[in-house]
Amino acid sequence: MPSVPLASRSPELVSSAIDIRAVSHQFSLSGSKLPVIDAIDFSVGPGEFVALLGPSGCGKSTLLRLIAGLELPSNGSILADGLPVIRPDPSRILVFQDPTLFPWTTVWKNVATGLEARGVLKQSHARVDAALSLVGLSEFAAAYPHQLSGGMAQRASLARALVNDPKLLLLDEPLGKLDSLTRLTLQAELVRLWQRNGFTAILVTHDVEEALLLSSRIVVLSERPARIKAEFQFGKPYPRHRDDPELVALRRRILGTLGLAT
């Protein structure tokens, strides 16, 4: 059966509900156990955009890997649409801080990687073109990664994720290494893509302002092993502005929760 074009599916098909139930995780290091996550328990509704904030090394990225199915939790369970997450799935895509594009092939072929691996590329060429168009890279389809700026390379990574029509997009500081202007541009781009495609999004970031500009809910984690310290709802309409008094006030509250001076 041919693939459904990007952004044309009915709303109930485009996003996942995620339930994280009493999840703990630990690593084995030199014969000893290193606790990383401790009894994390929260849910993400279909189509919601949630940001995870917390100190560096507290376990945020590990939690994303568990949700993606790249690892299994030591204790507890993670459900996607009511089903246990026990392995990776094309409906759950993880986008990393580094674009990790294959340098030996073109942008178009990089974006097509997932479809090719699933054996559906032959009937899905138009989907690759549509994904590149979504992120504004149609004119660079034949370019190689070394010919792209950092922001363009990250756009290509987003296209590679979106071509699979993910129901859940997991974002591990995807804008963290970009210059300020490019980061601002791609923040707006992420919101646009989320609104247009309707997927559920979970973003890991160290930037409180970025979390407030992009997400509808912010979950603040403690030092490792990560526990939930607080949750903040922020229902302001998009686009949001950095000098909005409500945003500025909430930023102060979140920084205080993180133990940082404001």
Side-chain angles (χ1 to χ4, degrees), residues 7 60 62 86 129 165 210 236 254:
K60 301 184 299 296
T62 297
I86 57 174
D129 296 333
D165 263 349
E210 181 171 87
K236 296 285 288 188
I254 294 171

Side-chain angles (χ1 to χ4, degrees), residues 79-113:
L79 306 178
D81 299 319
L83 300 176
V85 173
I86 57 174
R87 62 177 65 89
D89 187 272
S91 68
R92 300 185 303 274
I93 301 294
L94 179 55
V95 178
F96 297 97
Q97 186 177 76
D98 294 306
T100 62
L101 300 174
F102 299 126
W104 57 82
T105 193
T106 65
V107 168
W108 195 96
K109 290 183 178 179
N110 266 286
V111 172
T113 300

Side-chain angles (χ1 to χ4, degrees), residues 26-248:
Q26 55 189 13
F27 296 138
S28 295
L29 294 176
S30 302
S32 61
K33 301 293 185 182
L34 177 66
V36 180
I37 296 170
D38 184 25
I40 294 287
D41 204 312
F42 72 97
S43 296
V44 180
E48 193 175 5
F49 198 134
V50 172
L52 301 179
L53 283 172
S56 180
C58 75
K60 301 184 299 296
S61 295
T62 297
L63 183 56
L64 281 197
R65 291 179 62 82
L66 296 176
I67 297 170
L70 297 174
E71 300 178 44
L72 295 179
S74 303
N75 294 288
S77 61
I78 297 175
L79 306 178
D81 299 319
L83 300 176
V85 173
I86 57 174
R87 62 177 65 89
D89 187 272
S91 68
R92 300 185 303 274
I93 301 294
L94 179 55
V95 178
F96 297 97
Q97 186 177 76
D98 294 306
T100 62
L101 300 174
F102 299 126
W104 57 82
T105 193
T106 65
V107 168
W108 195 96
K109 290 183 178 179
N110 266 286
V111 172
T113 300
L115 298 175
E116 187 174 27
R118 289 157 52 198
V120 297
L121 179 58
K122 185 175 181 180
Q123 63 267 39
S124 302
H125 272 238
R127 294 186 56 72
V128 181
D129 296 333
L132 286 170
S133 177
L134 270 179
V135 301
L137 284 180
S138 295
E139 295 182 0
F140 292 87
Y144 284 80
H146 74 272
Q147 297 174 305
L148 304 179
S149 68
M152 292 166 67
Q154 198 57 273
R155 286 176 186 268
S157 289
L158 287 170
R160 185 170 58 186
L162 294 170
V163 78
N164 293 290
D165 263 349
K167 296 172 71 176
L168 173 65
L169 195 61
L170 301 163
L171 301 155
D172 192 1
E173 294 199 78
L175 313 181
K177 291 186 176 180
L178 302 177
D179 64 87
S180 297
L181 185 58
T182 302
R183 186 168 187 163
L184 293 176
T185 301
L186 282 188
Q187 285 171 348
E189 189 80 1
L190 269 176
V191 170
R192 184 185 69 82
L193 292 170
W194 167 63
Q195 291 178 318
R196 175 171 175 171
N197 286 47
F199 49 75
T200 303
I202 303 177
L203 167 73
V204 159
T205 179
H206 285 99
D207 188 333
V208 176
E209 190 174 84
E210 181 171 87
L212 286 166
L213 289 171
L214 301 185
S215 68
S216 51
R217 178 159 56 108
I218 296 170
V219 178
V220 179
L221 302 178
S222 69
E223 297 276 358
R224 190 184 69 241
R227 303 178 182 88
I228 294 178
K229 290 186 71 173
E231 293 190 36
F232 297 88
Q233 296 279 353
F234 192 58
K236 296 285 288 188
Y238 300 91
R240 296 171 181 172
H241 304 285
R242 285 161 176 76
D243 57 356
D244 184 314
E246 288 184 49
L247 188 149
V248 172

